[in-house]
Amino acid sequence: MLVDLHCHTTASDGSLSPGELVERAMNRGVDLLAITDHDTTAAFAELEAVPGTMRLVHGVELSTSWSGVNVHILGLNITPGHPVMAEAVAAQRDARAERAKIIADRLEKKGIPGSFEAVRHIAAHRAVGRPDFAKYLVDCGVVSSVNEAFDRYLGAGKLGDVKAMWPELATIVGWIRAAGGTAVLAHPTHYKMTNAKLRRLLAEFVEVGGEGLEVCNGRPPETELRYLRDLCREYGLCASLGSDFHHPSNWLELGCEASLLGSCTPVWERWNGAEKVAGC
């Protein structure tokens, strides 16, 4: 069974439209798909009935600041039109706009002016993200690639690493649960935490109502899978997995084998089969 509960479209920072993403997933033979754009559920407004047997659930990826780290929480099987989710999306967009102003001010102090208006133009209808600043830096010739933009200006510990305005963990989890969804900690090893710090995060996550852990993100090594499976069982969490797909590439595709979760309880078992969407 192929499952993908973490992927992105043009509604946030992906390069495929919602329809193109769904078509690609179906062509790949994905059985269960969740679109989890950053801070928006707009993708689902563009989707009509999903043909075939693939099941689609509504999702979102929200940001929080925990102990000085920018942490991402997936909201899976949410009701996107729920008023609390609308409130959450609006709050996250405001936070992104404030962060964009701070990043732009910092870039200007480094002799790189005009970035705020430029990234707003690049983002157009969606919230501004760091990839938009990366594109601007490439277009201006400041850097030669998006990777270099993150290495020099936008990555962890750089001037674009702004976290202070994100809502607290309990707020994020509360929004997701109020909208009928399951809160899942995304890509837990990406934060480069020590084992002790990650365990503190998981303990607090469970305390505030978090219910799932992303055991597989992309193509992790077996050692990482075993570690996260063990944490999943230890903290009584359901297990999730996804590609974190943003763009077509030669090294990462939509869909992960459900068997990678091992003996952990799959998160989708909470959803009564995750009914196929007949119309979004």
Side-chain angles (χ1 to χ4, degrees):
M1 179 180 177
L2 278 182
V3 177
D4 203 321
L5 301 178
H6 188 168
C7 56
H8 302 272
T9 74
T10 50
S12 62
D13 57 348
S15 62
L16 299 185
S17 71
E20 290 169 336
L21 184 83
V22 166
E23 182 179 6
R24 191 180 188 93
M26 292 179 64
N27 290 339
R28 286 276 300 161
V30 174
D31 299 291
L32 177 62
L33 179 75
I35 296 174
T36 55
D37 281 312
H38 293 282
D39 306 326
T40 182
T41 59
F44 300 101
E46 299 182 32
L47 293 173
E48 297 179 354
V50 178
T53 59
M54 187 181 77
R55 295 173 296 174
L56 177 68
V57 296
H58 297 97
V60 69
E61 186 170 8
L62 302 175
S63 297
T64 181
S65 184
W66 181 85
S67 193
V69 181
N70 183 9
V71 172
H72 291 176
I73 307 296
L74 300 174
L76 300 179
N77 202 38
I78 60 169
T79 303
H82 194 285
V84 172
M85 186 50 57
E87 173 191 335
V89 167
Q92 294 286 91
R93 289 182 71 92
D94 289 345
R96 283 189 175 274
E98 185 62 29
R99 182 180 71 164
K101 291 176 183 177
I102 294 171
I103 293 173
D105 288 344
R106 292 180 178 182
L107 285 172
E108 185 158 3
K109 290 176 182 177
K110 289 288 186 180
I112 307 170
S115 63
F116 185 66
E117 289 302 321
V119 296
R120 288 179 63 190
H121 177 74
I122 291 170
H125 62 281
R126 55 175 173 77
V128 172
R130 284 182 296 171
D132 300 313
F133 280 98
K135 185 179 186 306
Y136 173 71
L137 292 173
V138 172
D139 291 346
C140 289
V142 175
V143 295
S144 59
S145 69
V146 167
N147 285 342
E148 184 183 354
F150 274 87
D151 288 342
R152 292 180 57 187
Y153 296 100
L154 303 169
K158 307 301 180 180
L159 64 83
D161 185 18
V162 180
K163 315 178 185 69
M165 74 288 298
W166 297 120
E168 294 185 355
L169 180 63
T171 300
I172 296 290
V173 174
W175 282 336
I176 292 168
R177 288 174 64 92
T182 303
V184 174
L185 178 65
H187 39 64
T189 61
H190 287 201
Y191 311 119
K192 307 300 182 185
M193 295 181 187
T194 64
N195 177 59
K197 188 170 185 177
L198 178 55
R199 286 172 179 275
R200 289 198 302 273
L201 170 58
L202 287 173
E204 183 173 334
F205 182 60
V206 170
E207 182 180 349
V208 300
E211 298 170 283
L213 181 69
E214 193 171 59
V215 167
C216 175
N217 179 276
R219 295 181 178 176
E222 180 60 30
T223 52
E224 180 177 313
L225 286 170
R226 286 198 299 268
Y227 171 61
L228 294 177
R229 288 186 202 121
D230 288 344
L231 287 176
C232 197
R233 288 187 291 262
E234 179 181 344
Y235 286 88
L237 293 163
C238 294
S240 186
L241 75 171
S243 63
D244 206 354
F245 180 93
H246 285 73
H247 316 284
S249 69
N250 294 326
W251 65 274
L252 184 64
E253 259 296 355
L254 287 163
C256 305
E257 285 289 347
S259 60
L260 292 171
L261 298 184
S263 63
C264 297
T265 301
V267 67
W268 55 89
E269 289 190 1
R270 303 179 60 87
W271 309 332
N272 297 319
E275 295 180 4
K276 187 181 74 170
V277 173
C280 300

